[in-house]
Amino acid sequence: MMKRSPLVLGNKTLKDVTDDICAPVERFPSKGWVGMFLGAKTLLLFYIGILASVVGVGIGLLGVNSPVFWGTMIVTFVFWIGIGHAGTLISAVLFLFRQKWRTSVARTAEAMTVFAVMTAGLFPLLHTGRPWLDYWLFPYPNQRGPLWVNFRSPLLWDVFAVSTYATVSMVFWYIGLVPDFATIKDRAKNKLRRTVYGALSLGWRGTAKNWSHYEMVYLLLAGLSTPLVLSVHTIVSFDFAVSNLPGWHTTIFPPYFVAGAIFSGFAMVVTLMTLVRIGFPEFKNYVTLDHMEVMNKIIMTTGMLVGYAYASEFFIAWYSGNQYERFVFINRAFGPYGWSYWIMVSCNTIFPQLFWFRRFRRSIPVMFVVSILVNIGMWFERFVITVTSLHRDFLPSSWGMYAWSWFDTGVLVGSFGMFLTLFLLYLRLFPAVSIAEVKPVLHVGYDDKGGHH
Amino acid sequence: MAAKYTKGIAGIWLEEAQILKATRKVRESGFTKFEAISAYPIHGMEEAAGIKRSWIPYVAFTMGLAGLAGGLALTYWTSAVNWAVNVGGKPFFSLPAFVPIMFELTILLSALSSVGALFYACGIPRMDPPVIDPDLSCHKFAIFIPHNDNGYDEAKIESMFKELGATEVKKTEY
């Protein structure tokens, strides 16, 4: 039989697991956490200011103008939605495949999903320019006669896909948290904590009958989230692919977008997990180097998938014999936005290849840098797709450039403030590793006497 | 939700293997209303406690179908009946274009209803249920037999629990 390396290091007992995972929630926050939180919060306040100006003055503050009508808002929306995908993938797809290593990272990855989708969701709403009318996006009986939304539009499919995705991932995450909230409640030393976590735990009791239903619902949610996660980025890609614009009108978009989403999502999980391991050293026994290595392998694989997609787009542009298509792709690589194309290609297809070497796959500094490069590359991928396709279309008389303003920078940078603030609060208030899911896999990789294989 | 709790007797164990063995024994002794409590789902517990497969998938499936039908009905009625608008010459009833909406509503209704069913099945949310021992959500395991179960006899149960390796036996309510 193949020997397995332990999923949890340090020969932990059940009580150790509870103590370790509850520790960050129960102790006073460290200086490092407070510093990072204040930084993130300042960035969030700056973001709120930027968004208030954009809403108050109008989206003319951003660089969107003829011919580039989709800019930072849409680019960053697709970027953040993509980040979310790794969370659902780890929690749902790997659950269905019975990948036990997921237990240590699933909770934090799901939290990342929820916060990334919240961050992403704001962008299309603000991009409309009149966010106070955004409720028009939903089909509801209204007083304007029989006036309904256009269900034939991919933009409306997006409304349904993203709101369903947000709802289901939040529910999935919360259901996973319920038994752990009960654990924290039972350990609570003061009344306030007991009441708050008691309410969050919904009065969970952990009887065998409860667990039986609970496991079934968890399986169902995993089974439902799996096609959901694939559908979300597929539908986001339809926003582009269903148009007739060269550079967007591509059948490879749905799988290519999904692969890119998983790629960037896993990169973000690795970035955050390296930070969590530094900030909370007790988690090193749960999120081990083996876990990081597996995620790096996934980053490398999906990196090659997107590399394949880049190549295939070029091939089809040539093979189709369509001169507009050919022009767009040559322009993409060698035109005025060529620099963004080469940032994308180098960050997404070259640097992840380092992970062919075990030494780099298991090196925290290397994986941290590569994961950040991947995220930069994936933001540029969305920038390349959106902006380079729009700035040169069929008629040279309608060509133009995207007038990037510092409000665009503010929106992009500020969104990280929102995401990080939520994420840092999560790390302090919620158990960051699933206590109830780690306990059953404690014995994996140990023999009967408690030694390693 | 107003909750009613019953008095009974509870034994507490420290090992997963012991609680499985004890649960099997309690069930074989003819008790049917007992509860086995643990901090995490235990492999083999359903079989030991004689718990039937959860009925929640039926709810999820039915509500999924309802979501699918609802999505079709909504898109068809609004786009082809109530407000038929010619969009680029596409048919009023453009089924392929409605598939994403139908799909998303299937998932949404199915997921939310299965969570609703979980709440119903577990009797949650409820405020502050009685706790037999705070360590039960950490590293201890318990079996609770309510006073109205078949052949309830405190002395006998207590000695049975002790025999099965319980570290503690408590008269309590749950």
Side-chain angles (χ1 to χ4, degrees), chain A residues 65-247:
Chain A
N65 211 328
S66 176
V68 185
F69 288 107
W70 280 11
T72 323
M73 289 280 187
I74 300 298
V75 173
T76 318
F77 159 70
V78 184
F79 171 77
W80 278 113
I81 279 282
I83 296 291
H85 281 54
T88 323
L89 210 90
I90 290 174
S91 54
V93 180
L94 297 183
F95 179 79
L96 295 181
F97 284 127
R98 301 285 184 263
Q99 294 294 304
K100 291 200 163 97
W101 64 269
R102 68 174 273 287
T103 50
S104 298
V105 281
R107 170 70 49 76
T108 302
E110 281 169 41
M112 181 194 79
T113 297
V114 170
F115 302 142
V117 174
M118 283 161 77
T119 311
L122 277 181
F123 289 108
L125 296 180
L126 293 166
H127 172 83
T128 60
R130 282 161 183 72
W132 51 93
L133 298 177
D134 281 341
Y135 63 94
W136 286 5
L137 292 166
F138 291 94
Y140 65 99
N142 54 64
Q143 298 99 30
R144 294 185 291 274
L147 180 62
W148 293 101
V149 289
N150 178 15
F151 285 114
R152 298 179 196 89
S153 163
L155 302 178
L156 194 78
W157 306 344
D158 229 17
V159 173
F160 275 73
V162 174
S163 49
T164 303
Y165 185 48
T167 314
V168 174
S169 0
M170 240 175 262
V171 166
F172 195 29
W173 183 51
Y174 186 73
I175 290 298
L177 277 160
V178 165
D180 292 358
F181 282 142
T183 305
I184 298 189
K185 175 204 71 175
D186 285 342
R187 292 163 58 93
K189 299 237 163 43
N190 67 56
K191 198 160 177 239
L192 176 72
R193 179 175 276 269
R194 206 188 139 72
T195 315
V196 170
Y197 286 101
L200 285 171
S201 72
L202 307 173
W204 175 258
R205 298 203 285 178
T207 67
K209 284 167 203 153
N210 286 2
W211 281 119
S212 165
H213 289 299
Y214 178 90
E215 286 201 289
M216 181 56 83
V217 167
Y218 206 79
L219 178 69
L220 282 170
L221 288 178
L224 290 166
S225 304
T226 300
L228 181 63
V229 69
L230 299 180
S231 86
V232 173
H233 233 59
T234 300
I235 291 176
V236 169
S237 85
F238 286 163
D239 290 345
F240 300 91
V242 171
S243 76
N244 279 325
L245 192 74

Side-chain angles (χ1 to χ4, degrees), chain A residues 403-422:
Chain A
W404 184 273
S405 76
W406 74 267
F407 280 93
D408 290 280
T409 315
V411 165
L412 171 61
V413 175
S415 65
F416 282 87
M418 174 173 168
F419 175 79
L420 290 174
T421 305
L422 291 168

Side-chain angles (χ1 to χ4, degrees), chain A residues 294-357:
Chain A
V294 178
M295 292 194 281
N296 289 334
K297 285 179 185 167
I298 296 176
I299 291 178
M300 189 178 77
T301 313
T302 44
M304 287 192 289
L305 281 175
V306 295
Y308 172 77
Y310 301 155
S312 135
E313 278 189 311
F314 255 90
F315 171 75
I316 293 297
W318 164 75
Y319 190 65
S320 67
N322 180 322
Q323 57 169 326
Y324 299 105
E325 194 77 16
R326 279 186 195 181
F327 172 78
V328 159
F329 280 90
I330 291 168
N331 178 58
R332 209 174 249 192
F334 303 107
Y337 282 116
W339 53 272
S340 63
Y341 183 82
W342 294 109
I343 292 177
M344 166 186 103
V345 169
S346 48
C347 286
N348 291 351
T349 61
I350 298 171
F351 293 112
Q353 301 306 314
L354 281 175
F355 291 145
W356 281 103
F357 303 98

Side-chain angles (χ1 to χ4, degrees), chain B residues 4 35 39 50 58 66 68-69 88 93 108-109 115-116 142 152 156 168:
Chain B
K4 282 181 191 151
E35 300 276 14
Y58 299 104
L68 187 75
F93 179 53
L108 185 67
L109 257 71
V115 171
Y152 182 84
K156 265 192 194 165
E168 209 181 325

Side-chain angles (χ1 to χ4, degrees), chain A residues 6 11 443 445-453:
Chain A
N11 234 331
H443 61 275
Y446 291 97
D447 59 28
D448 291 341
K449 290 168 198 124
H452 281 215
H453 278 300

Side-chain angles (χ1 to χ4, degrees), chain B residues 64-87:
Chain B
L65 284 184
L68 187 75
L72 179 64
L74 175 73
T75 47
Y76 171 74
W77 184 71
T78 54
S79 311
V81 179
N82 194 235
W83 197 51
V85 173
N86 186 334
V87 181

